[in-house]
Amino acid sequence: MTVIEVLAPGLLTTVQDLGREGFGPMGVSPSGAADSIALRIGNRLVGNTEGAAALEMTLLGGVFLFPKGALAALTGSDFGATLDGADLPPWTSFKVKPGQTLRLGPTRSGARCYLCTQGGITVKPFLGSASTHLLSGLGGYEGRALRKGDVLKMGDAGIAACSYSSRALGANRSKKVTPKILERLLPRKILRVTAGPQSGWFSQVAESVLYGGTYHVSEEANRMGLRLHGPALPEGAHGGMISEGVSLGAVQIAAGGMPIILFVEQQTTGGYAKMANVISADFSSLGQLRPRDRIRFERVTFETARKLLMEQETLLTAKDLIVETT
Amino acid sequence: MPTKKSVKARFERASDQSLLIYFGEQITLEANECVRRLLHLLEQEPVRGVRNLHPAYCSLLIKFEAFEWRHEELERRLRKYIGRLSKVKLAEPRLMEIPVCYGGEFGPDLDEVAAMHGLTPNRVIELHTSTTYLVYFLGFVPGFAYLGELPRELVTPRLLSPRRKVPAGSVGIAGNQTGVYPFETPGGWRLLGRSPLEMFRTDRDGLSLLTIGDRVRFLPVSRERFAELQPA
């Protein structure tokens, strides 16, 4: 059994896969990787199925010992990784020899970096998923962020059937992401949104504030949601709001007129009016936002949102997304 | 349950992959029964590409696969389901009893709630335990049941600023609702007591102690009984 020993956990490192959908009636939100694009690509780089479990690091990465070696890849933001002191390029698979130590530092770009290993991380699934849900302490590794001394097991359940040849042939050949495709998948600071279910409650003045202003991400930004600071929105007709189901990426306007964007560990229902909703194609961008990042909102139609998601999916499933390094 | 013709539903796009269905614009037993019937029907006869359902007081949020559905196509399909709601048979509701130790450190807001309404703490407990509540839906966090309605004398606004940490098992009230916190979370409901029961457990069938549509009564217990009932 291949394992990873956690020598230092980093700021907040959790086991995540693509989350658990379908348990809304129990109040369970999906959780899952904050940047699912990075997770999916990382898994493909090491020959796993896209949804295999990996480690999600936040702002400051950890130090990991591989007593028996591994095939691994780092995706998402650049955390200045080294393997036994040698620099590692992001978005590229690499072989770890038995006894080597992978060391990550503070981020040099966005909020999250993913460590994907061949075979994925094996934990006891909760409702069919390995994803950690921090607030309720469910899923992942004992329902919590990793600590020094934790030992994670790697399995082989996640390995894609088509990867056998690459495992046999490509043991020493690393793989990378085609730069031209990667460029088009990188996170954005202009978030595209569609109208929210209570858009009609807000005035044109409020709209010009939301779409004309620059907001910055506050320190209260985590997997549950991102609280923004910036121009206050004139409050809508809030009186009649009854708690209802809330969707991922909902831009809800809290008391005081500041927006909160609901994220992967979101509460499943809520009582604030929602003025907009981040489009699905920009969810991964939300996962890379750091406190103090400046963002803007751009309103698009539902048809455009759909088209952008299709385009993104075409890039993510492109045959030439992953190539062997030369 | 209204007759077939009178079930009115309003559809609203919530995001590029979700749709809200409203059965009226206020909290009523009829609207909530429509929600529960539609939820039941969608669980019995799932629509391909529907990925998640979030029931609430008088609405149901439907999350769908954007590659498979456009909002208007899914709305057409769901309107057919809504047309069948009057024929849906819901299971007989379960009556669940939840022991609560009121007051003291378990219910730090009991005295203030009593004072706000000019009642004694004992009268507040009496009122809180004299009602059979309906689980309108589960939301917020895993296993949190929104129970209604509180006796009129107990309707109380939530705390102005929420507590950063509410202990698991805490029984709170807000507006005309009451509920039990399954986990230690932040929360703005006023706390009357604490239950020794685990509201959400991963090693139990169904996971959540309460489910949508259940009827619930609270049972006052002593500190000693609370300790006995607490899981080892």
Side-chain angles (χ1 to χ4, degrees):
Chain A
M1 175 82 68
T2 320
V3 297
I4 304 177
E5 286 181 33
V6 181
L7 302 184
L11 190 63
L12 180 83
T13 302
T14 56
V15 177
Q16 299 294 344
D17 58 14
L18 292 174
R20 51 184 73 78
E21 233 13 296
F23 302 98
M26 272 194 283
V28 178
S29 58
S31 193
D35 179 350
S36 61
I37 291 179
L39 179 81
R40 291 172 66 184
I41 293 179
N43 275 322
R44 282 189 60 184
L45 283 168
V46 295
N48 292 344
T49 50
E50 284 189 330
L55 297 187
E56 177 182 284
M57 294 173 273
T58 317
L59 298 172
L60 174 69
V63 182
F64 306 98
L65 172 69
F66 293 79
K68 295 184 180 171
L71 178 68
L74 293 160
T75 56
S77 291
D78 180 1
F79 280 29
T82 57
L83 185 64
D84 274 359
D87 285 346
L88 285 172
W91 304 98
T92 308
S93 68
F94 54 93
K95 187 139 181 134
V96 185
K97 290 187 196 127
Q100 283 193 308
T101 301
L102 173 70
R103 190 176 293 272
L104 295 106
T107 180
R108 297 167 175 181
S109 49
R112 290 180 178 91
C113 174
Y114 292 83
L115 169 59
C116 297
T117 49
Q118 189 170 63
I121 304 289
T122 306
V123 292
K124 191 176 166 219
F126 165 59
L127 295 175
S129 160
S131 284
T132 316
H133 191 279
L134 286 169
L135 184 75
S136 56
L138 298 170
Y141 187 89
E142 296 178 3
R144 59 167 171 83
L146 298 185
R147 294 179 196 146
K148 183 180 173 178
D150 287 345
V151 177
L152 298 155
K153 291 176 185 149
M154 287 184 269
D156 52 13
I159 300 176
C162 62
S163 74
Y164 284 103
S165 58
S166 65
R167 273 201 294 164
L169 296 173
N172 295 309
R173 259 226 184 106
S174 69
K175 293 180 175 182
K176 64 172 187 173
V177 183
T178 306
K180 274 202 171 145
I181 299 182
L182 183 59
E183 232 167 66
R184 296 176 61 193
L185 290 167
L186 290 179
R188 303 164 49 87
K189 294 280 164 63
I190 298 178
L191 300 173
R192 292 158 302 190
V193 299
T194 49
Q198 286 85 34
S199 281
W201 292 19
F202 294 87
S203 65
Q204 285 202 332
V205 177
E207 289 211 345
S208 63
V209 172
L210 185 71
Y211 297 111
T214 299
Y215 286 86
H216 66 262
V217 180
S218 78
E219 298 293 331
E220 288 172 84
N222 53 39
R223 291 174 46 81
M224 288 183 71
L226 298 93
R227 192 178 282 269
L228 305 181
H229 285 162
L233 291 151
E235 293 196 19
H238 285 259
M241 190 67 204
I242 298 169
S243 281
E244 62 185 30
V246 285
S247 42
L248 179 60
V251 181
Q252 54 178 31
I253 311 303
M258 288 300 153
I260 297 170
I261 306 176
L262 295 178
F263 204 33
V264 287
E265 271 192 37
Q266 63 171 79
Q267 51 186 77
T268 56
T269 54
Y272 291 119
K274 294 157 295 285
M275 191 171 167
N277 205 103
V278 175
I279 67 169
S280 301
D282 287 351
F283 287 162
S284 285
S285 296
L286 285 176
Q288 291 298 347
L289 288 177
R290 293 175 297 175
R292 294 187 293 283
D293 274 347
R294 292 157 67 86
I295 58 161
R296 292 172 67 86
F297 292 107
E298 181 188 326
R299 173 87 169 256
V300 298
T301 63
F302 285 100
E303 205 45 48
T304 301
R306 185 184 160 84
K307 203 182 103 229
L308 290 166
L309 185 64
M310 302 278 181
E311 283 173 12
Q312 187 177 78
E313 198 57 26
T314 304
L315 293 174
L316 274 167
T317 49
K319 276 206 178 110
D320 56 345
L321 172 72
I322 309 281
V323 289
E324 295 201 339
T325 55
T326 45
Chain B
M1 180 67 199
T3 58
K4 181 179 166 180
K5 272 183 189 162
S6 67
V7 174
K8 284 212 172 68
R10 179 168 71 84
F11 281 71
E12 199 72 62
R13 296 167 185 203
S15 76
D16 60 13
Q17 54 169 346
S18 61
L19 194 56
L20 266 164
I21 306 171
Y22 296 96
F23 296 102
E25 312 297 326
Q26 49 188 333
I27 302 171
T28 61
L29 291 175
E30 292 72 30
N32 188 252
E33 186 158 343
C34 289
V35 172
R36 286 184 278 125
R37 283 177 185 238
L38 182 55
L39 176 70
H40 182 78
L41 197 52
L42 284 166
E43 285 175 341
Q44 294 298 306
E45 301 174 32
V47 175
R48 197 171 52 104
V50 166
R51 299 171 66 201
N52 216 335
L53 303 163
H54 295 275
Y57 286 113
C58 51
S59 64
L60 182 65
L61 177 78
I62 299 198
K63 182 173 182 181
F64 58 87
E65 192 61 72
F67 301 113
E68 285 200 39
W69 291 102
R70 284 189 160 80
H71 294 86
E72 56 276 20
E73 295 159 354
L74 185 56
E75 177 175 338
R76 271 198 296 278
R77 171 70 67 89
L78 291 169
R79 289 228 179 252
K80 290 195 182 129
Y81 276 69
I82 291 167
R84 296 165 51 202
L85 287 191
S86 58
K87 296 196 191 84
V88 173
K89 278 211 166 63
L90 290 174
E92 275 299 303
R94 302 184 300 172
L95 179 63
M96 307 294 284
E97 252 179 15
I98 297 185
V100 181
C101 180
Y102 286 90
E105 60 169 298
F106 290 164
D109 301 323
L110 176 65
D111 291 346
E112 197 186 323
V113 168
M116 285 168 84
H117 298 289
L119 302 169
T120 63
N122 275 337
R123 181 63 187 148
V124 171
I125 297 168
E126 249 176 54
L127 284 164
H128 193 249
T129 52
S130 67
T131 306
T132 303
Y133 302 98
L134 165 68
V135 177
Y136 277 91
F137 64 102
L138 276 73
F140 177 47
V141 293
F144 190 101
Y146 285 76
L147 306 172
E149 295 184 352
L150 276 182
R152 193 171 301 236
E153 301 98 303
L154 285 186
V155 174
T156 317
R158 65 182 62 212
L159 294 170
L160 278 177
S161 84
R163 288 187 170 90
R164 285 191 175 271
K165 279 184 181 180
V166 173
S170 294
V171 177
I173 59 170
N176 60 5
Q177 322 157 89
T178 181
V180 187
Y181 285 85
F183 301 97
E184 181 186 279
T185 56
W189 291 24
R190 292 178 197 265
L191 308 181
L192 303 184
R194 197 177 300 172
S195 173
L197 300 188
E198 288 177 284
M199 303 307 289
F200 195 92
R201 266 174 58 176
T202 55
D203 59 350
R204 168 172 67 201
D205 273 354
L207 304 169
S208 177
L209 183 68
L210 300 179
T211 190
I212 187 166
D214 282 348
R215 303 300 195 275
V216 175
R217 278 185 84 96
F218 292 106
L219 193 74
V221 296
S222 66
R223 191 81 197 220
E224 291 70 36
R225 184 75 186 126
F226 179 94
E228 284 166 21
L229 289 169
Q230 248 185 335

